[in-house]
Amino acid sequence: MSLARRLIAAGFDDLDRGERFLAAPELEGLDREALFAGLRLAANPDTALLSLVRLIEKNPDLRRLAADPERSEPLYRVLGASEALGEFLLRHPGHLAAFDAPVSPEPVPADPAALRTRLLQSVRADPKAARPVAGLTGQDGYAALRTAYRRGVVDLAIKDLCAADPLDYLPAVGAELADLAAAAIEAALAVSRAEAAEQFGADDVAAVGLAVIGMGKCGARELNYISDVDVIYVIDGGPLEDARAATIGTALASGLSRAIMSTGKEPGLWEVDANLRPEGKSGPLVRTLPSHESYYARWAESWEFQALLKARAIAGDADLGARYEAAVAPLIWSSAGREGFVESVRSMRRRVTEHIPSDEEQRQLKLGRGGLRDVEFTVQLLQLVHGKSDESLRCRDTTAAIAALSAGGYIGRTDAAEFDRDYRYLRLLEHRIQLFQLRRTHLMPVKEASLRSLAKAVLGSLSDDRPHPDALLDDWRKTKRSVRELHDRIFYRPLLNTAAALSTEEARLTPEAAQGRLAALGYLDPPGAMRHIEALTAGVSRRAALQRQLLPILLGWLAEGVDPDGGLLAFRRVSEALGTTHWYLGLLRDSTAAAERLCHVLSNSRLIADLLEVSPESVAWLGSDKDLVPLSYEAQWLEITSKMSRHSDPESAMRLIRLIRRREILRIAIADSAGLLDQDQVGAALADTDRAAVLGALRVAETVVAAGEPLKTRVLVVAMGRQGGREIGYGSDADVMYVHRGLPGVSEEEAQQQAARIVGKLSSLLTQPLKPAVLAERVLMVDADLRPEGKNGPMVRSLESYAEYYRRWSLVWEAQALLRARPMAGDDDLAADFIALIDPIRYPESLAEQDVREVRRIKARVESERLPRGADPARHLKLGRGGLSDVEWLAQLLQLRHAGRHPELRTTSTVQALEAAAELELLEAGEVVLLLRAWRLASRIRSANVIWTGRASDLLPSSRRDLEAVARWCGYGQGNAAALEEDYLRLSRRARAVFERVFYGQ
């Protein structure tokens, strides 16, 4: 293989320069195979080769190591990953001894105490002293501690780069870098004490205790290779006056920073940043512990407590540091209860994103969308909100916090594993990018050569791959998308706002706190509620832990309903029905809407609660508006035909049909409760569900009859009344008429007899009890009383019989009833012929005055005879003053009088008929608006009665509790039952006035 091809295979970017350096005299005589084997390990072989040649020039003994394949791996990996560490070794070739130590694919982290000892000894300070004082000061002391620190970085880089799994080892790297930084600060403080003693005297300096509190990544022991080290200084002046102690403390802190980052023969390490201290740059550099406590108690903003989450004493007076940690801990874990805390944290995250320069936005590893800050803010917000009651969450580093949140059930296991992996991957990219030049940056490189080196650098030591830059970018983009999706879903949970407002006792759900809170929230039976809570939260299972997390919040949402006790019982039953189902409690925890919706329906609707108890899997719909969209008639019929094809037994097929109807009623009711459907859409969706069930029952009935004899006739079910207008509610029956047409060659009598058997079977299939029973079903009662001759007439007639009847005997009330006739199920050709038959009857060219008087007479009779005895006409929704009957009869009279000449009026819908009447100026637009408001409100109240109690009622409730529940369903706020009552009585009174003027001509 040519040299150029070998260089390409090894990953070189600049082939000409590679060939020149390979020919350098320093490498003369070295085994080329061993050299190339080493260079192939380097992330950047160009840099590794250049640094190797320069190091051998300074230290020729390095040739033996470079040519030894058994020992040279750390050398090539470090030189290829970090140009800056190569420069350090050029300045201090004595530290090449770092490469003599054996390496392991599973490295052991350094002991923090050993690092502290090494750094203090580098400046000739006694590690055992309570307050060490350096023997080296000035530039000599600075250079010594900086050199010792960088040697520690070399040792760590060797372990990091030779690890088999850098993602697994990453937390240990961050911890060791933080320990190194703490050791460097301890040594810098020792230097500063020695220097301050020259100005203030050794005794006074020794009297001042200074604790250095690490913040941010250093405090959390997850530091980067190069990063600002955020600190806060706490002093204790002992016997000295406060002013004297503060002056010396400020000098110690300033000297410490100078030792770390001033210019010198050995470059500074990193910036020591004290801007997170109370009052920031405007505040004093050092404060006493009481001064810190006073500030945090009175003046601190929410973000400062989030920052304190990472606070850890890292250097200086250990006892003073421990007292500081103990003092701020209660403030940290109570901070989430501050007003607007959660939103303030969210706002801060948004501001961070908004201030990214536009040319950096797409390259940001840290601050951009899907970056490290998304993970950190999400984890910290959950810790602060839930950590006040769960001490297991009180950890500083991000990976440990993710694990604790997962163990406690605050994040799902899958989400936590993904979040942890994503965070480690982003941090690994950040580490490798920074390590190359030991420069503080959080931007992905753009040059292909840099990306190629980075793609190699993030692999473990056991991998021989050298991925293409595009593969690296793909992995990074996938990680960003994953982080952003998890961040958006978890960081913006609605439960967090509510959880943050709970006291520690409430969040812990202690029996003492719960009893008092339940009574205060409005539970009528706190001891009974406590029994439900104890049943749900008992034990050590993950399910019980999630319930303990959720219930303090859900109890408040349940209490916003009219029946919180019933809602909690229903919640218990649903929870027990779902058992250990993996998705249920996770949905309530993570969804933006599911938990609140569930509480709302369980405590406000007996009907929905009953349906959810027998169909608990339907809770899954609550988290997605898409799942709550009612299925179309066509979709339902497709599902029914599919199930019928697999279940030939009539009872089994019918049970599945009725289960589908029950399921869809539940879906519609939940969508209705969530405000996703208006009143007209609810009526249409319920009508579609009934239509699919009736058609299914008709097909099963035909199959049953056909089992004993051949089919002799085609049957049509015609919807009448509100069912025909697709304007039904949750308690509506199905008003129908049955039409049949005998098949060719079949006698009229035979066809009639079979049609009667089919419709009789259809009705029983829809209503008869089944085994196993369809629990909590709203049975569809089929009512054929609107047929010709009413209850005295035959249940089903042939089309010819209808034609003969309507030609000879039809009365005006039957023409009026036909206004709502709409084919519902059965033969399509028969349906078309039936409509052609009845259209001239229900839409006459003109209506005789005597027929008008007859319609008015019947309406008056209905009002006087059918209104239940003792019922208040003002409160009867159907037959009462300005109720449903008034509005519908008015629309129908207008249709009978004018639809023959105006096709716009030819509709089965009351709403569409009245709107058309307004367009034709048969009614004033304002009158139509009034009539429809009254009609829709009455319809809504009627449905609300069923939703609340599970039973149909045509009365506006008189009970305050029932009226409150109905008002809530109708969109009125809490405590506005009287407003609903007033609105209905006013609207119905005004609607009655319009009705009397137009209908009766008054």
Side-chain angles (χ1 to χ4, degrees):
M1 183 185 295
S2 69
L3 179 57
R5 289 177 65 84
R6 296 190 72 181
L7 290 169
I8 292 171
F12 277 82
D13 180 57
D14 190 333
L15 302 185
D16 291 339
R17 191 174 73 164
E19 289 184 7
R20 287 200 310 275
F21 278 102
L22 281 171
E26 289 81 1
L27 303 182
E28 187 177 348
L30 280 182
D31 183 351
R32 278 292 176 90
E33 293 300 325
L35 187 59
F36 269 98
L39 291 171
R40 277 195 296 271
L41 299 174
N44 187 329
D46 298 80
T47 300
L49 180 59
L50 172 60
S51 297
L52 179 64
V53 170
R54 295 173 67 198
L55 284 168
I56 291 175
E57 182 184 10
K58 285 275 186 98
N59 188 348
D61 290 343
L62 190 61
R63 285 169 55 91
R64 288 196 298 274
L65 178 62
D68 185 347
E70 298 296 323
R71 297 170 50 235
S72 62
E73 178 185 354
L75 174 69
Y76 288 105
R77 289 195 183 278
V78 170
L79 296 184
S82 180
E83 185 179 62
L85 290 181
E87 294 292 337
F88 166 72
L89 293 168
L90 280 168
R91 295 194 303 273
H92 304 280
H95 287 293
L96 287 169
F99 297 116
D100 292 335
V103 296
S104 168
E106 296 182 358
V108 177
D111 178 14
L115 295 177
R116 178 179 180 274
T117 296
R118 186 194 306 174
L119 267 292
L120 283 170
Q121 288 176 343
S122 73
V123 294
R124 299 178 190 170
D126 181 4
K128 297 179 182 180
R131 291 174 181 169
V133 179
L136 285 177
T137 58
Q139 287 296 327
D140 290 340
Y142 306 164
L145 80 86
R146 294 172 188 179
T147 301
Y149 171 85
R150 288 196 169 97
R151 166 59 190 269
V153 173
V154 172
D155 293 339
L156 175 58
I158 291 172
K159 292 186 289 186
D160 185 11
L161 295 168
C162 294
D165 187 347
L167 288 177
D168 183 62
Y169 191 59
L170 183 127
V173 174
E176 190 164 330
L177 284 166
D179 294 339
L180 264 173
I185 287 174
E186 190 76 84
L189 180 56
V191 173
S192 184
R193 283 197 188 99
E195 293 177 341
E198 298 175 5
Q199 181 180 358
F200 301 104
D203 291 342
D204 280 4
V205 169
V208 177
L210 175 70
V212 183
I213 309 300
M215 304 289 285
K217 285 185 168 60
C218 185
R221 295 186 77 228
E222 51 186 13
L223 200 60
N224 293 332
Y225 272 101
I226 187 72
S227 174
D228 293 351
V229 174
D230 296 311
V231 299
I232 288 175
Y233 298 112
V234 189
I235 60 166
D236 183 346
L240 301 183
E241 293 182 358
D242 289 348
R244 176 73 171 171
T247 301
I248 294 174
T250 301
L252 289 175
S254 300
L256 180 159
S257 296
R258 186 169 57 250
I260 293 289
M261 62 186 191
S262 65
T263 56
K265 55 186 178 181
E266 180 64 23
L269 299 180
W270 19 256
E271 182 179 353
V272 180
D273 188 344
N275 288 336
L276 291 178
R277 66 186 185 271
E279 300 181 76
K281 293 180 180 179
S282 303
L285 186 60
V286 299
R287 286 177 184 258
T288 62
L289 180 55
S291 176
H292 276 95
E293 291 177 302
S294 174
Y295 172 82
Y296 288 126
R298 298 182 61 189
W299 309 112
E301 297 182 29
S302 295
W303 69 264
E304 293 179 270
F305 295 106
Q306 185 180 355
L308 285 172
L309 183 63
K310 306 291 188 182
R312 176 176 65 94
I314 60 172
D317 193 311
D319 177 67
L320 179 57
R323 284 189 283 129
Y324 175 89
E325 289 182 21
V328 300
L331 303 175
I332 296 169
W333 301 113
S334 63
S335 63
R338 294 162 65 97
E339 185 176 353
F341 175 82
V342 172
E343 190 50 46
S344 72
V345 174
R346 290 170 174 166
S347 297
M348 185 186 301
R349 176 64 191 113
R350 288 192 290 269
R351 286 197 298 275
V352 169
T353 306
E354 289 164 1
H355 288 90
I356 301 172
S358 57
D359 60 331
E360 294 183 1
E361 187 174 359
Q362 298 304 315
R363 298 173 57 205
Q364 268 284 350
L365 285 165
K366 178 180 179 181
L367 304 178
R369 291 174 60 84
L372 289 162
R373 278 289 187 265
D374 276 352
V375 181
E376 292 162 352
F377 266 76
T378 302
V379 170
Q380 290 165 25
L381 180 58
L382 264 63
Q383 284 183 276
L384 290 167
V385 168
H386 299 296
K388 62 187 172 188
S389 59
D390 188 344
E391 294 184 7
S392 70
L393 304 182
R394 299 181 183 182
C395 41
R396 296 184 179 93
D397 67 289
T398 304
T399 53
I402 292 173
L405 288 165
S406 176
Y410 302 95
I411 303 178
R413 293 187 185 95
T414 302
D415 287 349
E418 192 172 347
F419 227 10
D420 180 77
R421 185 265 169 202
D422 293 342
Y423 178 74
R424 290 174 188 245
Y425 182 70
L426 292 172
R427 287 298 306 274
L428 181 62
L429 288 173
E430 186 181 46
H431 278 195
R432 295 295 187 259
I433 293 168
Q434 292 182 350
L435 181 60
F436 189 69
Q437 292 183 327
L438 286 181
R439 184 169 62 85
R440 185 172 177 266
T441 179
H442 309 286
L443 300 178
M444 281 289 280
V446 293
K447 293 181 179 179
E448 184 172 334
S450 300
L451 289 169
R452 188 182 300 112
S453 299
L454 181 59
K456 174 64 175 174
V458 297
L459 299 180
S461 62
L462 303 182
S463 174
D464 294 327
D465 295 341
R466 191 171 287 276
H468 192 276
D470 288 347
L472 172 75
L473 292 175
D474 285 345
D475 286 345
W476 175 48
R477 290 174 186 133
K478 288 176 186 174
T479 301
K480 286 203 299 181
R481 285 194 298 271
S482 169
V483 168
R484 194 63 193 183
E485 188 274 328
L486 290 167
H487 169 78
D488 287 346
R489 180 151 49 83
I490 300 171
F491 191 64
Y492 292 101
R493 280 181 188 164
L495 270 69
L496 290 173
N497 288 310
T498 308
L502 298 174
S503 69
T504 302
E505 290 74 22
E506 290 170 340
R508 283 189 174 135
L509 209 63
T510 59
E512 299 77 12
Q515 286 272 11
R517 183 167 181 244
L518 289 167
L521 285 172
Y523 287 79
L524 300 179
D525 181 14
M530 273 307 303
R531 287 193 292 273
H532 299 319
I533 293 169
E534 288 164 358
L536 289 166
T537 59
V540 295
S541 66
R542 184 176 181 84
R543 173 188 173 196
L546 278 167
Q547 290 281 18
R548 286 193 291 272
Q549 177 194 149
L550 291 167
L551 272 171
I553 302 162
L554 303 188
L555 289 172
W557 284 340
L558 287 166
E560 292 174 3
V562 180
D563 183 13
D565 297 84
L568 180 56
L569 173 60
F571 177 76
R572 176 182 173 181
R573 288 175 174 168
V574 169
S575 297
E576 290 174 345
L578 287 168
T580 56
T581 306
H582 72 280
W583 56 264
Y584 167 56
L585 294 174
L587 171 75
L588 300 187
R589 177 195 60 206
D590 298 337
S591 169
T592 57
E596 194 165 5
R597 281 178 175 172
L598 180 62
C599 293
H600 171 74
V601 297
L602 292 180
S603 58
N604 285 299
S605 171
R606 176 71 58 81
L607 175 72
I608 298 177
D610 289 347
L611 288 171
L612 281 175
E613 285 177 29
V614 298
S615 306
E617 68 283 353
S618 303
V619 171
W621 301 336
L622 293 164
S624 168
D625 289 355
K626 181 178 68 175
D627 290 336
L628 290 173
V629 175
L631 290 188
S632 66
Y633 160 75
E634 290 77 15
Q636 291 179 62
W637 179 239
L638 185 64
E639 182 180 2
I640 287 171
T641 53
S642 173
K643 290 187 182 297
M644 288 172 60
S645 68
R646 298 195 300 273
H647 295 83
S648 57
D649 174 55
E651 186 165 326
S652 297
M654 202 60 225
R655 186 173 188 276
L656 291 170
I657 291 168
R658 287 163 65 173
L659 283 171
I660 291 171
R661 178 174 175 270
R662 185 187 72 179
R663 182 196 69 197
E664 291 311 307
I665 290 174
L666 174 58
R667 190 196 307 272
I668 294 163
I670 295 174
D672 191 1
S673 74
L676 302 178
L677 303 175
D678 61 30
Q679 185 65 31
D680 297 346
Q681 290 170 323
V682 169
L686 289 170
D688 282 347
T689 296
D690 285 355
R691 181 186 176 195
V694 169
L695 179 55
L698 176 60
R699 293 292 177 252
V700 174
E702 290 174 339
T703 301
V704 171
V705 171
E709 57 182 320
L711 282 179
K712 301 172 182 179
T713 189
R714 301 294 186 208
V715 174
L716 171 69
V717 184
V718 180
M720 304 291 285
R722 290 169 70 87
Q723 186 75 242
R726 302 180 79 229
E727 296 166 337
I728 62 173
Y730 297 102
S732 296
D733 296 340
D735 291 320
V736 301
M737 292 198 309
Y738 299 111
V739 189
H740 81 95
R741 178 158 56 194
L743 296 178
V746 176
S747 71
E748 183 177 332
E749 183 179 357
E750 287 181 307
Q752 178 68 27
Q753 290 174 351
Q754 188 179 78
R757 287 194 293 274
I758 290 173
V759 300
K761 189 63 179 176
L762 181 153
S763 181
S764 68
L765 286 170
L766 287 168
T767 57
Q768 69 185 9
L770 298 172
K771 292 182 181 181
V774 181
L775 300 175
E777 178 188 19
R778 292 289 306 171
V779 175
L780 180 58
M781 303 303 295
V782 180
D783 186 345
D785 289 354
L786 290 176
R787 65 188 183 272
E789 301 181 78
K791 293 180 179 179
N792 297 320
M795 185 67 70
V796 57
R797 290 175 180 264
S798 67
L799 183 65
E800 293 75 13
S801 176
Y802 274 102
E804 179 66 15
Y805 177 85
Y806 288 134
R807 183 179 64 81
R808 298 181 61 186
W809 311 110
S810 176
L811 300 175
V812 69
W813 73 264
E814 292 173 306
Q816 181 183 351
L818 288 173
L819 288 168
R820 311 293 290 276
R822 177 178 58 87
M824 188 180 195
D827 187 81
D828 291 341
D829 292 336
L830 180 55
D833 292 344
F834 181 76
I835 292 298
L837 168 67
I838 66 172
D839 274 354
I841 300 167
R842 59 181 175 174
Y843 306 135
E845 287 298 320
S846 63
L847 188 67
E849 190 58 34
Q850 66 183 36
D851 288 334
V852 174
R853 286 197 298 270
E854 178 64 9
V855 171
R856 289 170 176 167
R857 186 191 66 80
I858 296 173
K859 176 67 169 79
R861 182 181 171 189
V862 167
E863 290 179 11
S864 64
E865 295 181 3
R866 293 185 59 189
L867 190 70
R869 180 170 298 179
D872 181 355
R875 305 183 77 87
H876 201 281
L877 302 165
K878 181 178 180 181
L879 302 175
R881 180 192 70 193
L884 298 169
S885 176
D886 280 357
V887 176
E888 291 169 1
W889 279 65
L890 173 56
Q892 290 160 19
L893 180 58
L894 291 173
Q895 287 179 289
L896 288 170
R897 300 182 74 171
H898 304 287
R901 298 185 304 278
H902 298 290
E904 303 96 311
L905 289 166
R906 298 176 186 176
T907 174
T908 62
S909 164
T910 300
V911 173
Q912 293 174 13
L914 288 173
E915 289 173 343
E919 291 177 6
L920 294 168
E921 299 183 353
L922 301 174
L923 288 172
E924 294 180 9
E927 292 176 332
V928 169
V929 170
L930 171 63
L931 291 169
L932 288 179
R933 283 184 63 197
W935 183 85
R936 285 189 171 115
L937 183 56
S939 298
R940 187 72 175 164
I941 294 171
R942 207 174 180 211
S943 283
N945 283 333
V946 180
I947 288 289
W948 165 235
T949 65
R951 300 185 304 274
S953 171
D954 286 330
L955 289 173
L956 177 68
S958 298
S959 156
R960 293 294 99 181
R961 186 164 183 256
D962 292 345
L963 191 62
E964 175 70 19
V966 168
R968 300 277 189 93
W969 188 262
C970 293
Y972 289 75
Q974 187 172 352
N976 280 299
L980 166 68
E981 189 174 42
E982 291 170 8
D983 284 351
Y984 177 74
L985 294 175
R986 184 182 67 257
L987 281 171
S988 61
R989 186 174 59 250
R990 294 173 62 198
R992 179 66 181 189
V994 174
F995 168 80
E996 290 179 346
R997 182 182 65 79
V998 179
F999 189 83
Y1000 289 118
Q1002 296 177 359

